[in-house]
Amino acid sequence: MNDAFDRRQFLQGAVSLSTLIVLGLPAAAFADEGALTFGPAEPFSFDGLVDRARKLATEAYVPAEKPAADITSRLTYEELGKIKFKTEDALWANGPAPFPVTFFHLGTFFQKKVTINVVDGKNASEIIYRKSSFDMPADSPAQALPEGVGFAGFRFQEPRTGPIDWKKNDWVAFLGASYFRAIGELYQYGLSARGLAVNAADPNPPHQEEFPDFKEFWLEPVAGSTNQIKVYALLDGPSVAGAFSFLMTREKAVLMDIDARVFTRNDINRFGLTPLTSMYWFSETVKPTAIDWRPEVHDSDGLAMWTGGGEHIWRPLNNVPATITSTFTDSNPRGFGLLQRDRIFDHYLDGVMYDRRPSLWVEPLAPFGDGQVQLIEIPTDDEIHDNVVAMWVPKDPVKAGQEFNLKYRLHWAADEPFPTNLARCVATRLGNGGHPGQPRPPGLRKFMIEFLGDSLKDLPYGVKPVPVITASRGELSYIFTEAVPDGINGHWRAQFDLQVTGPDPVEMRCYLKLGDKVLSETWLYQYHPF
């Protein structure tokens, strides 16, 4: 990019197709985009973007621009809901890329301008904001915005030639800070990913959480492809700068191959790579009496991990009494993700389709090295708050002037892409401990862990899997396994009681075996006595 070019001068006027040709941008990329207005052609390459990010990290941080903040602050959630981008003005509404692009309007919650460019060959050109591309009421505050003010983000619509009406359905959205999300194979949005997490929920007062921004994007068709698109992004924040490349594939699941080059301006206490962000309010595990009419409310119900050593782990999520970070040390993990395993509609009974929320899995495409999967759980009293973060944190302290190169694939799917052949945990249930018909001792809690899988099928008559259970504190008792009496072969549950005093969390671990043979994945749980 030519840093000497002053975009603000150019935004004072509109640019026609003929002007673009004069400026050197090939007309083919815009032949079907007469409704859009573009800036002049400038050289673009990912290598050049990486150099730009590297240089940016050596300079003082400049916050993202908030143009016309006095106007956008009046575009409340209600007002913004009245503003719709005209699909006939979508980028690539008639080609050449398979996925038309529509744009998000600036508003109260998204006041920062995001520059969006379209790439053709070795050149790129900015897409200029015009009010005429949005349907909005005559009395909308947005009517006072100047032309060229910018967009808040963008989304890819379903393919023009597919069975679904692309004008009413999208499959990827980039909106707010470095957040982005995609639908899974069940055609439903849910949790989000983001470029980086900087000092997320850090308990040390000097280290406040930062939210770096994707300040600028470049959108590029993939030559000859009917199911892929490329996105490049420039990330900038108080302590980091970075260049990101996304190769996104629209298959049964949504796949994103990400190449991230990150450069640090400052020391960072908690440096979260590949961060995933979700919501967990309550489930069948623990639900306060009459808190809500629905049986369960969550976008994800657990953290799954496939360790570098090959162990498959399932950690059910909690709505914790206070913010807690759980750390799982590993070396070159094979993957991890926040999953929605419970797919039964009757467990939610809600028209917002929690049973169809995607699971999101991180697959390293290059070794991550030594570090930790960190799970941050934050208390919530409603479903409107994202209160769960899962991320990879490098082992060594992060100092100013460092460079990180990360390659990974995100799977937005119905399930994890590499499920274990062992039985998997399908439910965790808590209740009062003790024996029916007898007094229930105070502080005694019963745990029921359900496992389902082929490894538990067709066990010899009278043979039961053996539960291997440990707890960081307290006393375990009344331990046994039994087949769940639902007629499903391979469905077993482990049951035990835990006697514990005091409010400190208890870390627990359980798996099933038969002789020396492991039959199930490992269940981990953090119990908060109450």
Side-chain angles (χ1 to χ4, degrees):
M1 301 293 290
N2 181 2
D3 293 331
F5 175 73
D6 189 342
R7 290 190 188 278
R8 289 172 294 179
Q9 293 180 6
F10 190 80
L11 295 184
Q12 295 173 2
V15 182
S16 65
L17 179 60
S18 60
T19 304
L20 291 171
I21 298 172
V22 171
L23 289 169
L25 189 58
F30 307 99
D32 296 315
E33 308 303 337
L36 292 177
T37 301
F38 300 91
E42 299 182 8
F44 175 78
S45 69
F46 183 58
D47 288 342
L49 182 60
V50 172
D51 290 341
R52 182 178 169 186
R54 182 183 290 110
K55 181 176 182 296
L56 196 61
T58 66
E59 302 169 351
Y61 171 66
V62 178
E65 181 184 359
K66 292 184 179 181
D70 57 326
I71 299 174
T72 57
S73 63
R74 289 155 44 204
L75 289 171
T76 61
Y77 181 84
E78 181 180 3
E79 290 290 341
L80 207 57
K82 302 174 185 177
I83 301 174
K84 305 294 183 184
F85 188 82
K86 297 177 180 178
T87 52
E88 60 267 27
D89 284 6
L91 176 70
W92 301 323
N94 301 298
F99 308 108
V101 183
T102 58
F103 302 93
F104 291 106
H105 202 282
L106 295 170
T108 299
F109 300 109
F110 306 101
Q111 296 186 27
K112 297 176 181 178
K113 173 187 175 180
V114 174
T115 302
I116 304 172
N117 306 275
V118 61
V119 178
D120 186 86
K122 296 181 179 181
N123 291 320
S125 186
E126 182 181 353
I127 303 168
I128 308 301
Y129 167 91
R130 297 191 314 170
K131 285 195 293 288
S132 61
S133 289
F134 290 88
D135 282 323
M136 63 179 70
D139 61 350
S140 172
Q143 294 285 2
L145 288 171
E147 297 295 333
V149 71
F151 302 102
F154 65 94
R155 54 189 167 191
F156 287 105
Q157 305 297 129
E158 292 282 16
R160 296 184 315 279
T161 58
I164 299 175
D165 184 356
W166 70 264
K167 295 183 179 181
K168 298 179 181 179
N169 296 275
D170 56 301
W171 60 284
V172 170
F174 286 79
L175 179 65
S178 67
Y179 285 85
F180 56 97
R181 59 182 185 158
I183 63 174
E185 57 197 271
L186 302 178
Y187 294 92
Q188 179 65 49
Y189 279 116
L191 77 171
S192 300
R194 47 178 159 156
L196 290 175
V198 179
N199 294 330
D202 195 310
N204 301 306
H207 304 287
Q208 294 185 350
E209 182 167 5
E210 301 173 9
F211 293 89
D213 296 296
F214 282 144
K215 286 187 174 180
E216 190 164 0
F217 291 96
W218 292 261
L219 315 180
E220 182 180 23
V222 176
S225 176
T226 60
N227 69 342
Q228 290 185 316
I229 200 75
K230 284 185 178 180
V231 174
Y232 306 95
L234 176 67
L235 180 136
D236 196 20
S239 295
V240 292
F244 285 70
S245 169
F246 300 79
L247 174 62
M248 302 192 296
T249 305
R250 181 71 177 103
E251 294 183 339
K252 184 178 181 181
V254 173
L255 305 179
M256 296 181 179
D257 287 13
I258 299 175
D259 185 348
R261 316 288 180 88
V262 179
F263 309 91
T264 57
R265 278 191 177 93
N266 302 317
D267 297 352
I268 298 175
N269 195 53
R270 179 175 285 172
F271 190 49
L273 303 171
T274 73
L276 317 178
T277 302
S278 192
M279 180 276 294
Y280 176 89
W281 186 11
F282 61 85
S283 71
E284 62 197 1
T285 302
V286 178
K287 177 185 177 183
T289 303
I291 190 173
D292 190 85
W293 63 272
R294 294 162 292 184
E296 302 186 43
V297 176
H298 49 78
D299 283 336
S300 307
D301 52 10
L303 168 67
M305 292 171 281
W306 187 13
T307 70
E311 184 180 17
H312 287 266
I313 294 173
W314 175 248
R315 164 57 157 82
L317 297 178
N318 277 314
N319 188 354
V320 291
T323 299
I324 289 182
T325 299
S326 299
T327 297
F328 308 94
T329 300
D330 202 359
S331 180
N332 294 320
R334 303 185 189 187
F336 67 92
L338 291 174
L339 309 186
Q340 186 79 313
R341 279 192 174 172
D342 191 336
R343 296 295 183 190
I344 301 174
F345 173 79
D346 289 350
H347 291 186
Y348 303 94
L349 300 174
D350 197 321
V352 298
M353 303 300 177
Y354 283 115
D355 59 302
R356 291 168 47 187
R357 300 297 167 107
S359 295
L360 181 50
W361 182 264
V362 178
E363 176 194 358
L365 298 180
F368 277 13
D370 296 333
Q372 306 161 343
V373 175
Q374 290 194 0
L375 174 67
I376 300 172
E377 295 167 301
I378 302 169
T380 189
D381 59 2
D382 206 336
E383 63 200 285
I384 63 173
H385 306 295
D386 282 348
N387 64 318
V388 176
V389 178
M391 59 191 183
W392 177 255
V393 178
K395 175 184 177 181
D396 296 328
V398 175
K399 302 296 183 181
Q402 286 188 254
E403 176 178 343
F404 293 85
N405 297 328
L406 206 66
K407 293 184 179 182
Y408 59 100
R409 177 175 295 147
L410 295 181
H411 299 254
W412 306 78
D415 196 4
E416 58 190 284
F418 310 105
T420 175
N421 292 324
L422 301 173
R424 298 203 295 172
C425 179
V426 294
T428 301
R429 310 179 195 277
L430 276 65
N432 289 328
H435 298 264
Q438 298 181 18
R440 303 298 178 101
L444 188 65
R445 185 63 58 191
K446 185 177 298 297
F447 291 82
M448 291 278 194
I449 311 162
E450 295 184 15
F451 294 94
L452 177 65
D454 290 345
S455 63
L456 294 175
K457 290 181 178 179
D458 303 322
L459 296 177
Y461 179 77
V463 174
K464 295 183 177 182
V466 176
V468 180
I469 304 168
T470 60
S472 61
R473 65 188 192 90
E475 183 179 348
L476 299 169
S477 62
Y478 199 24
I479 302 171
F480 64 91
T481 59
E482 63 181 358
V484 178
D486 57 2
I488 299 176
N489 191 14
H491 192 185
W492 285 75
R493 61 189 173 208
Q495 173 178 319
F496 63 91
D497 285 358
L498 174 70
Q499 178 72 57
V500 66
T501 58
D504 292 340
V506 181
E507 302 290 348
M508 292 185 290
R509 181 182 182 95
C510 175
Y511 66 92
L512 302 181
K513 71 173 187 176
L514 190 60
D516 294 332
K517 184 179 180 181
V518 175
L519 300 179
S520 76
E521 67 182 0
T522 301
W523 170 88
L524 301 182
Y525 190 68
Q526 186 180 79
Y527 169 55
H528 296 267
F530 56 90

mmCIF file of all heavy atoms in Angstrom, residues 313-327:
data_model
loop_
_atom_site.group_PDB
_atom_site.id
_atom_site.type_symbol
_atom_site.label_atom_id
_atom_site.label_comp_id
_atom_site.label_asym_id
_atom_site.label_seq_id
_atom_site.Cartn_x
_atom_site.Cartn_y
_atom_site.Cartn_z
ATOM 1 N N ILE A 313 -9.922 -35.221 25.984
ATOM 2 C CA ILE A 313 -10.430 -34.686 27.253
ATOM 3 C C ILE A 313 -11.717 -33.913 26.994
ATOM 4 O O ILE A 313 -11.837 -33.182 26.000
ATOM 5 C CB ILE A 313 -9.376 -33.768 27.907
ATOM 6 C CG1 ILE A 313 -8.136 -34.570 28.316
ATOM 7 C CG2 ILE A 313 -9.956 -33.036 29.111
ATOM 8 C CD1 ILE A 313 -6.979 -33.721 28.814
ATOM 9 N N TRP A 314 -12.653 -34.056 27.918
ATOM 10 C CA TRP A 314 -13.895 -33.282 27.876
ATOM 11 C C TRP A 314 -14.061 -32.558 29.206
ATOM 12 O O TRP A 314 -14.048 -33.169 30.267
ATOM 13 C CB TRP A 314 -15.104 -34.178 27.632
ATOM 14 C CG TRP A 314 -16.423 -33.466 27.687
ATOM 15 C CD1 TRP A 314 -17.393 -33.605 28.624
ATOM 16 C CD2 TRP A 314 -16.927 -32.515 26.741
ATOM 17 N NE1 TRP A 314 -18.475 -32.809 28.343
ATOM 18 C CE2 TRP A 314 -18.208 -32.120 27.174
ATOM 19 C CE3 TRP A 314 -16.418 -31.956 25.575
ATOM 20 C CZ2 TRP A 314 -18.999 -31.195 26.482
ATOM 21 C CZ3 TRP A 314 -17.195 -31.029 24.879
ATOM 22 C CH2 TRP A 314 -18.455 -30.661 25.324
ATOM 23 N N ARG A 315 -14.204 -31.239 29.121
ATOM 24 C CA ARG A 315 -14.365 -30.415 30.325
ATOM 25 C C ARG A 315 -15.683 -29.647 30.211
ATOM 26 O O ARG A 315 -15.788 -28.667 29.471
ATOM 27 C CB ARG A 315 -13.169 -29.465 30.443
ATOM 28 C CG ARG A 315 -13.305 -28.284 31.372
ATOM 29 C CD ARG A 315 -13.630 -28.595 32.826
ATOM 30 N NE ARG A 315 -13.194 -27.490 33.689
ATOM 31 C CZ ARG A 315 -13.900 -26.357 33.896
ATOM 32 N NH1 ARG A 315 -15.074 -26.174 33.333
ATOM 33 N NH2 ARG A 315 -13.403 -25.419 34.688
ATOM 34 N N PRO A 316 -16.763 -30.086 30.912
ATOM 35 C CA PRO A 316 -18.021 -29.346 30.886
ATOM 36 C C PRO A 316 -17.831 -27.916 31.400
ATOM 37 O O PRO A 316 -17.022 -27.666 32.305
ATOM 38 C CB PRO A 316 -18.935 -30.153 31.815
ATOM 39 C CG PRO A 316 -18.329 -31.517 31.858
ATOM 40 C CD PRO A 316 -16.853 -31.300 31.733
ATOM 41 N N LEU A 317 -18.583 -26.985 30.828
ATOM 42 C CA LEU A 317 -18.484 -25.582 31.227
ATOM 43 C C LEU A 317 -19.287 -25.317 32.489
ATOM 44 O O LEU A 317 -20.224 -26.039 32.836
ATOM 45 C CB LEU A 317 -18.971 -24.678 30.099
ATOM 46 C CG LEU A 317 -18.172 -24.744 28.794
ATOM 47 C CD1 LEU A 317 -18.790 -23.836 27.741
ATOM 48 C CD2 LEU A 317 -16.709 -24.360 29.027
ATOM 49 N N ASN A 318 -18.911 -24.224 33.180
ATOM 50 C CA ASN A 318 -19.575 -23.790 34.406
ATOM 51 C C ASN A 318 -20.009 -22.338 34.289
ATOM 52 O O ASN A 318 -19.371 -21.543 33.584
ATOM 53 C CB ASN A 318 -18.616 -23.880 35.606
ATOM 54 C CG ASN A 318 -18.530 -25.267 36.198
ATOM 55 O OD1 ASN A 318 -19.547 -25.920 36.410
ATOM 56 N ND2 ASN A 318 -17.314 -25.718 36.453
ATOM 57 N N ASN A 319 -21.084 -21.986 34.976
ATOM 58 C CA ASN A 319 -21.382 -20.588 35.269
ATOM 59 C C ASN A 319 -20.846 -20.350 36.678
ATOM 60 O O ASN A 319 -21.467 -20.721 37.665
ATOM 61 C CB ASN A 319 -22.881 -20.310 35.200
ATOM 62 C CG ASN A 319 -23.194 -18.829 35.310
ATOM 63 O OD1 ASN A 319 -22.318 -17.998 35.545
ATOM 64 N ND2 ASN A 319 -24.467 -18.484 35.150
ATOM 65 N N VAL A 320 -19.665 -19.772 36.754
ATOM 66 C CA VAL A 320 -18.881 -19.750 37.987
ATOM 67 C C VAL A 320 -19.327 -18.622 38.919
ATOM 68 O O VAL A 320 -19.912 -17.630 38.488
ATOM 69 C CB VAL A 320 -17.383 -19.592 37.654
ATOM 70 C CG1 VAL A 320 -16.850 -20.838 36.991
ATOM 71 C CG2 VAL A 320 -17.162 -18.380 36.743
ATOM 72 N N PRO A 321 -19.043 -18.756 40.226
ATOM 73 C CA PRO A 321 -19.376 -17.680 41.172
ATOM 74 C C PRO A 321 -18.473 -16.462 41.028
ATOM 75 O O PRO A 321 -18.845 -15.358 41.430
ATOM 76 C CB PRO A 321 -19.189 -18.350 42.537
ATOM 77 C CG PRO A 321 -18.253 -19.477 42.295
ATOM 78 C CD PRO A 321 -18.531 -19.955 40.909
ATOM 79 N N ALA A 322 -17.271 -16.637 40.490
ATOM 80 C CA ALA A 322 -16.328 -15.539 40.244
ATOM 81 C C ALA A 322 -15.463 -15.944 39.058
ATOM 82 O O ALA A 322 -15.335 -17.132 38.742
ATOM 83 C CB ALA A 322 -15.460 -15.280 41.470
ATOM 84 N N THR A 323 -14.884 -14.970 38.386
ATOM 85 C CA THR A 323 -14.077 -15.255 37.200
ATOM 86 C C THR A 323 -12.933 -16.194 37.544
ATOM 87 O O THR A 323 -12.175 -15.963 38.488
ATOM 88 C CB THR A 323 -13.521 -13.957 36.600
ATOM 89 O OG1 THR A 323 -14.609 -13.122 36.202
ATOM 90 C CG2 THR A 323 -12.650 -14.254 35.385
ATOM 91 N N ILE A 324 -12.817 -17.273 36.776
ATOM 92 C CA ILE A 324 -11.807 -18.301 37.034
ATOM 93 C C ILE A 324 -11.138 -18.689 35.713
ATOM 94 O O ILE A 324 -11.805 -18.836 34.687
ATOM 95 C CB ILE A 324 -12.437 -19.543 37.685
ATOM 96 C CG1 ILE A 324 -12.852 -19.225 39.132
ATOM 97 C CG2 ILE A 324 -11.469 -20.725 37.669
ATOM 98 C CD1 ILE A 324 -13.429 -20.397 39.879
ATOM 99 N N THR A 325 -9.821 -18.832 35.758
ATOM 100 C CA THR A 325 -9.057 -19.326 34.613
ATOM 101 C C THR A 325 -8.524 -20.715 34.941
ATOM 102 O O THR A 325 -7.840 -20.910 35.945
ATOM 103 C CB THR A 325 -7.880 -18.391 34.279
ATOM 104 O OG1 THR A 325 -8.379 -17.098 33.948
ATOM 105 C CG2 THR A 325 -7.080 -18.940 33.101
ATOM 106 N N SER A 326 -8.856 -21.674 34.083
ATOM 107 C CA SER A 326 -8.346 -23.043 34.217
ATOM 108 C C SER A 326 -7.267 -23.249 33.165
ATOM 109 O O SER A 326 -7.431 -22.847 32.009
ATOM 110 C CB SER A 326 -9.466 -24.066 34.028
ATOM 111 O OG SER A 326 -10.469 -23.895 35.015
ATOM 112 N N THR A 327 -6.165 -23.879 33.557
ATOM 113 C CA THR A 327 -4.996 -24.021 32.700
ATOM 114 C C THR A 327 -4.701 -25.486 32.444
ATOM 115 O O THR A 327 -4.655 -26.291 33.384
ATOM 116 C CB THR A 327 -3.779 -23.343 33.352
ATOM 117 O OG1 THR A 327 -4.041 -21.943 33.484
ATOM 118 C CG2 THR A 327 -2.537 -23.535 32.515
#
